[in-house]
Amino acid sequence: MLPSKKGFSFSYQFVNFVVFGDKGIKNSSNIPNPKTKIFAHLKYFSYLCRVLDFHNKMKLVFASNNKHKLEEVRKILPANICVISLAELGFHAEIDETGETLEENSAIKAQTIWDWIKAHQLTHEVDGVFADDTGLEIRALGGAPGVRTARWAGEDCNDAANRQKALQELQGITNREARFRTVITLVRGERQEAKSERIEQVEGIVNGQISEAEEGNGGFGYDPVFIPEGYDKTFAELPTEVKNSISHRARAMEAMRELLSNNN
C-alpha cells in the first residue's frame, strides 16, 4: 500500500483499475512485452505522483528494494518526506556495485537510478534519489569486512553466514571494537537547469563492539552480534525505536535531512 489522500490507502490493483480500466493489467510482472511493462509502471507511478501527489510531500526515490532497509528508512525520515522504492518506481534490474569504497558504491547506485529516471523523463515527478552503502568495520581485522560487508561469507551468502564469519574471525581476540558506517549519496536535479544535478554525500557512524555470541531476534544483518557504544545489548535486543534513534543509518539520514532543510 502507498500513501493516498484523505487517509485512504490505494493498492497497485486499485490504481491499475483507475488508470487502465476494468481490463487493466493485473500484474505487470506477467506482461510479456518489456516496453509495455515499463509503460505500465511509469503510468502507475506518474498517476500516484500527479493525482495523489503524496500529500504534497517531498518525493525521494530510495535506491533499494531491501524491505528491512525500507521499513527502517521510512520510520526514521520525517512525515513530510515520501520514500519511493525501486519496485514502486518500476526499476527491477540489478545494480553492479563495483566500487572499492562505501562512497563509490553509494554513488554508483544513486547515479544509476537518477540516470534511469532522466531516461524515462520522470525528473519532474520526484525531488531526487538517495542510495546508501553500509559497512561493518572491525578494528582487529584492519577495518574488514568494510565494503564487502553484505557478501563477506561469499557472493551467495545470507545474514546468518556473515554473522558466523564475524564471530569465527574474532575467536580468541579480546579487542572486539567495531563500528558501522553508512554513506548516503543524494542526487537532485537543478530546477533552473534541467540537465544539471547536485550530488552530495553524508555519513553516519555508530561505534561499538562485536559480541561473543548472537543475541536477540530483532533487526537484520549483523544486528544480533553488534553492541552499540553505551549499551550492553545488541541492536537485535534493543527496541526498534531505540535502534532507529542511534544507528548509523539513522545518523546518516539525519545528516541528509539537515542537508535537505539547509539548501532546498
Side-chain angles (χ1 to χ4, degrees), residues 180-207:
F180 268 120
R181 189 164 69 94
T182 291
V183 175
I184 291 177
T185 300
L186 174 66
V187 181
R188 290 179 285 172
E190 295 285 6
R191 297 297 184 188
Q192 296 80 9
E193 300 180 45
K195 293 185 179 180
S196 67
E197 59 202 29
R198 277 184 288 175
I199 302 175
E200 299 160 295
Q201 285 190 328
V202 294
E203 72 171 11
I205 295 173
V206 59
N207 294 311

Side-chain angles (χ1 to χ4, degrees), residues 12-13 16-17 21-31:
Y12 179 92
Q13 288 76 18
N16 197 29
F17 172 79
D22 59 358
K23 295 183 179 179
I25 301 165
K26 301 301 181 185
N27 184 348
S28 67
S29 64
N30 295 327
I31 302 171

Side-chain angles (χ1 to χ4, degrees), residues 5 10 40 46 53 56 63 68 76 95 108 115 119 132 139 147 160 175 185 222 224 226-227 236:
K5 288 184 177 180
F10 288 78
S46 181
D53 200 30
N56 296 313
H68 298 296
I76 291 171
I95 301 175
I108 287 170
D115 289 344
D132 82 315
R139 182 183 290 274
V147 74
N175 181 1
T185 300
Y222 293 85
F226 185 82
I227 303 172

Side-chain angles (χ1 to χ4, degrees), residues 54-87:
F54 293 109
H55 297 290
N56 296 313
K57 295 178 180 180
M58 176 180 288
K59 297 176 284 291
L60 295 178
V61 176
F62 181 29
S64 177
N65 271 326
N66 183 307
K67 66 177 183 178
H68 298 296
K69 280 189 180 182
L70 279 166
E71 289 173 2
E72 192 171 288
V73 165
R74 282 171 170 160
K75 288 177 181 176
I76 291 171
L77 287 176
N80 67 329
I81 296 178
C82 182
V83 178
I84 301 164
S85 73
L86 293 184

Side-chain angles (χ1 to χ4, degrees), residues 2 7 21 28 34 51 84 101 134 161 177 185 192 198 214 226 242 250 252:
L2 290 175
S28 67
V51 181
I84 301 164
T101 65
T134 294
E177 291 180 25
T185 300
Q192 296 80 9
R198 277 184 288 175
E214 293 193 32
F226 185 82
V242 174

